[in-house]
Amino acid sequence: MELTRRDAVAALAAVGATGGVALAARRSGDGPDRADADRDDAGRADGEGDDGGDGDALPDDETVRAAMTAFATVLYPSEVEGVEAFVDRFLDGRLDGSAHATGVRTTVGELDDAARSWYGAPVAELSEDDRDRLLREVGADTADEDSDGTLAERVRYHVVNELLLALYASPTGGELVGLENPQGHPGGTESYRQGPR
Amino acid sequence: MSAGDASRDGDRSPVANADVCVVGSGPAGALVADRLAADREVVVLDAGPRFDPTDRLTRQERAIRPSYDRPDVWDVGGERDAHSNSGEWFYPLNHARVKGIGGSTLHWQGMVMRLHEDDFNSKTERGVGPDWPIDYGDLRSYYAEAERELGVAGASDNPYAPPREEPHPMPAFEPSYSDSLFAEACEELGIDMHSVPNARNSETYDGRSACVGYGTCQPVCPAGAKYDATVHVDRAEEKGANVIDRAAVQRLEHDADRVTAAVYATPDGEEHRQTADAFVVACGGVETPRLLLLSESEEYPDGLANSSGTVGKFFMDHLFAGVGGTLDEPTRQNHVGFYTSACDQFYDEADEDIGPFKLEFFNYAGPSPVEMALTGNDWGDDLVDRLRDGYGTHVAMGGLVEQLPRSDSYVTLDPDRTDDHGNPVPDIHWSVGDRALRTIERANEIQRSVLEELGAEIEWVAGPDATGPAFHHMGTTRMSADPDAGVVDADCRTHDLDNCWIASSGVFPTSGAMNPTLTIAALALRVADDVREQLSQPL
């Protein structure tokens, strides 16, 4: 099942990301090949995207996007396609100057540090099995999400649930379980009246 | 920014020469303010903040994410909202209210039924509880007006509803797919289904969007399709009313016959006195009696307007009755966050032993897949398998049951615990009688029969042992023609004070089993008319 641009916009709408409208306008008419070209612009837009190289600094947007996409391939069902473009577009609206964005960057940075320490490579360069293992080793599978909690709780909040919320609040994510209009998606008032397809 | 607020630029000082001071900006206070603002100087004081309407999607995310509890969605809780529970039944007060401009309509479900004619005459018709000093006919035109003000989507297909004079302002939402499943079972059992009135736009109304199906109606509608009282707050401000947020009223100053000022505290630590010719207290069924009790004086040692001794007494809520289960076929739940069919067939069978109750056919039975996805130890293919197993075949019926007023169910002050201003917090002492519990059993009996007829495997029953409140605070400043038996008269004006009205479900002498907000709105419009009339005469 293919995740589309509509899914990414819907996922952003569900979480109230301020970049949603801008994203729709900025990407109007573009194709999937534009993602890379836009990436740097988005990274610099908030003034926090070029801090790479300093050990205490937040990771740059490219690192965050690469890690989040890598995690999404673990977190999303194997039948889902178009993950990279979906996550990229979702993060266009999510990696703004908000405290939430800082939380995502900080947490991904810590996970990248852990990946380098334990596996000798950043998240984006790990195998899918190792990414899965990393998430479980930090305890994100059993932790309750908490944006200000332990690393495990923050990973659950800013990485695992961030990406799962994006997927399952989107139309395609809903359709994976037979629900075209999942909670959080303004999918209208017709589908509730329709029988099974 | 609206006119009133813009002109004051965040100034929280009192308004000079105010005609009317409204305490509370929920639906009652907002409607009163809007009704009077065009030709009167109106000031509204609210303890809570003015929420930014652009934050609603962020609040929706809180509603979906597991780390936020329900009160977190609208920033309820903390010292400001501290409370006690001394009753046998626990009452989750901070799940049941929102403090701020718009009040609890910010998180309500938005169901707006009229009370039935017998609800106003419980003693006469059912042999229990008091009669109201007004009847359905006194509110009928106000109900119609309230439906227009709030924007109600409904139809006239309910043979059990009280008489009405005109169609609802908007067409009803169409029945759901699961309603069609219920309909077959109900037809077999001789149970009638009909539409249900929603304060939710089925089409564009009053400049507000039609419902777009976010599915998070309770606790937040990002689209603004569900009515909330900011609609009338904004309108009142456009007419010139001054609405002051984060202005927690500490006490009402008074002499023997009149309220003279509302003393309120602002975030800068200052206290102010808002004088006015008339005061309308509209803080809901808990904070209204609390404010009156906090305003005790030599003239009123037991609390302001409490010569009858009934301030805070007879606290009531509706009780939930429900049955749920699963079918062996898809039921298409959780596309929207509201229900579209109900059954009032058994409502007017109420008597001394069994109270009125209404039945609801849910469109949101079982778990939401999004919320399921955010909890659990799995992801990837394992997670989607769990979601497919857990979603898709649930059905459920709910219902609300009347609770009678009881002397052992009340709101008072807890002298041992104070809020952020050092005032004693409200103590909820909630008690529920046997009639309500029997009524839950009766509702469960019908619900169970419908689900069994459907072929459902029943998985849960919210019966007498598992019931809970519907978050409708009623009865604590009851209406009575007798000054010794109630706080307000038939016009909702306090018996003790000539210039003080109460606009709230607190004035309900009995609760019926219908969601109270439409009746709150109708009474508020009636209060506004009475205030205007009284202000036109020497008070």
Side-chain angles (χ1 to χ4, degrees):
Chain A
M1 197 170 280
E2 179 81 21
L3 284 164
T4 64
R5 173 182 155 183
R6 173 173 172 255
D7 288 307
V9 173
L12 283 169
V15 297
T18 54
V21 174
L23 162 71
R26 182 164 62 84
R27 289 189 180 275
S28 178
D30 67 7
D33 293 338
R34 285 290 310 280
D36 289 342
D38 285 340
R39 192 173 286 161
D40 290 340
D41 293 342
R44 285 194 291 270
D46 52 35
E48 297 186 62
D50 56 356
D51 291 341
D54 182 339
D56 295 327
L58 297 175
D60 61 25
D61 272 18
E62 191 172 352
T63 301
V64 174
R65 287 167 186 273
M68 291 292 273
T69 301
F71 284 130
T73 60
V74 172
L75 298 168
Y76 291 178
S78 53
E79 66 196 271
V80 170
E81 297 172 357
V83 172
E84 181 175 356
F86 173 77
V87 173
D88 199 50
R89 289 177 189 277
F90 178 71
L91 292 178
D92 274 346
R94 205 60 161 159
L95 290 178
D96 52 15
S98 66
H100 179 87
T102 302
V104 172
R105 291 188 173 100
T106 302
T107 306
V108 167
E110 290 178 63
L111 277 172
D112 234 19
D113 288 345
R116 290 176 196 277
S117 296
W118 299 346
Y119 294 93
V123 169
E125 294 176 18
L126 300 185
S127 69
E128 191 166 319
D129 284 348
D130 283 347
R131 276 176 257 142
D132 183 283
R133 201 169 294 125
L134 175 64
L135 289 174
R136 295 182 192 280
E137 284 169 346
V138 299
D141 53 339
T142 56
D144 293 330
E145 67 162 23
D146 183 345
S147 60
D148 297 316
T150 64
L151 177 61
E153 292 165 340
R154 285 185 288 115
V155 170
R156 183 75 198 199
Y157 188 98
H158 287 301
V159 177
V160 176
N161 281 0
E162 178 84 354
L163 290 165
L164 291 178
L165 176 59
L167 174 63
Y168 288 107
S170 75
T172 296
E175 286 196 39
L176 284 169
V177 294
L179 172 60
E180 311 93 282
N181 185 26
Q183 196 179 37
H185 172 56
T189 54
E190 291 185 4
S191 68
Y192 82 92
R193 292 183 269 155
Q194 296 165 352
R197 295 184 296 182
Chain B
M1 187 175 285
S2 53
D5 192 57
S7 65
R8 292 173 60 80
D9 197 23
D11 177 9
R12 291 189 170 83
S13 61
V15 174
N17 302 315
D19 296 312
V20 183
C21 174
V22 179
V23 184
S25 69
L31 283 162
V32 170
D34 173 54
R35 187 91 158 190
L36 296 173
D39 51 7
R40 293 291 179 179
E41 186 71 54
V42 175
V43 57
V44 180
L45 305 173
D46 197 287
R50 185 187 297 268
F51 295 106
D52 183 344
T54 64
D55 286 344
R56 289 200 175 186
L57 284 166
T58 303
R59 297 185 190 284
Q60 177 180 257
E61 182 180 351
R62 292 186 193 177
I64 295 172
R65 277 190 178 265
S67 58
Y68 298 94
D69 206 353
R70 184 52 55 93
D72 298 330
V73 174
W74 290 101
D75 306 324
V76 178
E79 264 193 298
R80 184 196 68 180
D81 300 328
H83 59 95
S84 298
N85 263 287
S86 63
E88 183 182 350
W89 288 61
F90 175 75
Y91 197 89
L93 181 61
N94 285 341
H95 284 68
R97 60 180 179 174
V98 173
K99 278 190 186 173
I101 305 301
S104 296
T105 50
L106 294 168
H107 81 157
W108 72 323
Q109 177 71 10
M111 311 315 298
V112 275
M113 302 79 176
R114 300 182 181 195
L115 286 174
H116 284 204
E117 291 160 294
D118 285 0
D119 288 326
F120 295 89
N121 300 294
S122 184
K123 183 177 180 62
T124 301
E125 300 295 336
R126 298 168 182 156
V128 289
D131 287 345
W132 294 42
I134 59 175
D135 59 26
Y136 180 77
D138 294 313
L139 273 193
R140 184 168 166 172
S141 65
Y142 287 103
Y143 270 133
E145 199 168 347
E147 288 167 347
R148 289 193 295 272
E149 290 291 336
L150 272 57
V152 176
S156 300
D157 63 335
N158 179 357
Y160 306 101
R164 54 181 303 113
E165 51 296 304
E166 58 190 78
H168 291 84
M170 283 175 281
F173 285 93
E174 294 291 325
S176 66
Y177 173 72
S178 56
D179 287 338
S180 73
L181 301 177
F182 279 115
E184 292 178 30
C186 286
E187 188 171 356
E188 285 295 318
L189 296 170
I191 293 173
D192 295 327
M193 294 174 67
H194 48 76
S195 66
V196 61
N198 274 279
R200 188 177 347 267
N201 295 349
S202 59
E203 57 190 26
T204 301
Y205 185 83
D206 199 22
R208 293 184 287 119
S209 162
C211 174
V212 294
Y214 273 108
T216 55
C217 309
Q218 193 182 56
V220 57
C221 173
K226 180 186 76 173
Y227 171 82
D228 66 62
T230 63
V231 168
H232 285 97
V233 170
D234 289 348
R235 199 178 292 170
E237 288 185 298
E238 287 165 8
K239 294 174 182 172
N242 290 280
V243 178
I244 305 177
D245 73 339
R246 290 187 288 167
V249 176
Q250 307 294 293
R251 60 190 177 278
L252 297 174
E253 292 185 347
H254 56 274
D255 55 30
D257 302 319
R258 298 169 61 84
V259 175
T260 53
V263 177
Y264 63 95
T266 47
D268 57 8
E270 296 295 315
E271 271 197 358
H272 305 272
R273 291 179 77 255
Q274 177 63 59
T275 58
D277 294 330
F279 290 81
V280 177
V281 185
C283 321
V286 172
E287 294 294 345
T288 292
R290 179 186 181 218
L291 177 58
L292 296 176
L293 294 173
L294 288 172
S295 303
E296 64 178 357
S297 64
E298 287 186 10
E299 289 100 339
Y300 294 99
D302 297 324
L304 186 61
N306 196 21
S307 293
S308 66
T310 58
V311 168
K313 300 288 173 58
F314 309 116
F315 175 68
M316 300 177 284
D317 202 324
H318 295 129
L319 292 145
F320 179 75
V323 175
T326 52
L327 302 181
D328 57 4
E329 60 180 307
T331 56
R332 308 280 293 162
Q333 298 296 284
N334 284 302
H335 290 248
V336 291
F338 57 94
Y339 66 96
T340 42
S341 291
C343 172
D344 296 344
Q345 182 174 346
F346 306 96
Y347 195 94
D348 286 321
E349 293 178 4
D351 58 19
E352 197 170 344
D353 292 326
I354 299 290
F357 63 94
K358 64 162 193 161
L359 301 171
E360 307 158 342
F361 300 89
F362 283 178
N363 293 329
Y364 37 82
S368 151
V370 189
E371 294 181 23
M372 284 177 74
L374 305 188
T375 56
N377 301 347
D378 48 3
W379 48 60
D381 290 341
D382 290 342
L383 171 58
V384 78
D385 287 345
R386 177 167 63 87
L387 300 184
R388 286 168 175 158
D389 285 345
Y391 167 77
T393 60
H394 287 82
V395 287
M397 290 181 67
L400 296 185
V401 162
E402 179 184 58
Q403 176 192 0
L404 285 173
R406 297 168 56 90
S407 60
D408 63 352
S409 189
Y410 54 85
V411 174
T412 187
L413 301 178
D414 181 348
D416 298 322
R417 192 171 181 192
T418 54
D419 67 5
D420 54 342
H421 295 291
N423 293 314
V425 304
D427 175 17
I428 314 300
H429 191 104
W430 187 37
S431 301
V432 176
D434 290 341
R435 178 174 179 265
L437 301 180
R438 284 194 300 272
T439 310
I440 293 171
E441 287 178 340
R442 171 67 178 135
N444 287 159
E445 182 182 16
I446 297 166
Q447 292 164 334
R448 186 185 287 275
S449 72
V450 173
L451 263 66
E452 287 175 350
E453 181 65 30
L454 262 178
E457 181 178 339
I458 292 177
E459 296 183 341
W460 59 268
V461 176
D465 297 331
T467 186
F471 302 162
H472 303 152
H473 309 144
M474 298 170 285
T476 49
T477 50
R478 67 155 49 161
M479 181 195 300
S480 174
D482 179 357
D484 292 329
V487 178
V488 300
D489 62 16
D491 294 323
C492 297
R493 184 158 49 149
T494 58
H495 286 291
D496 288 340
L497 299 138
D498 294 336
N499 69 337
C500 183
W501 285 257
I502 294 175
S504 163
S505 49
V507 305
F508 292 11
T510 55
S511 71
M514 292 297 176
N515 306 54
T517 300
L518 192 71
T519 303
I520 293 171
L523 287 170
L525 293 170
R526 191 163 169 270
V527 163
D529 282 356
D530 195 48
V531 172
R532 175 183 283 114
E533 184 180 336
Q534 296 300 326
L535 284 177
S536 68
Q537 306 167 10
L539 280 168

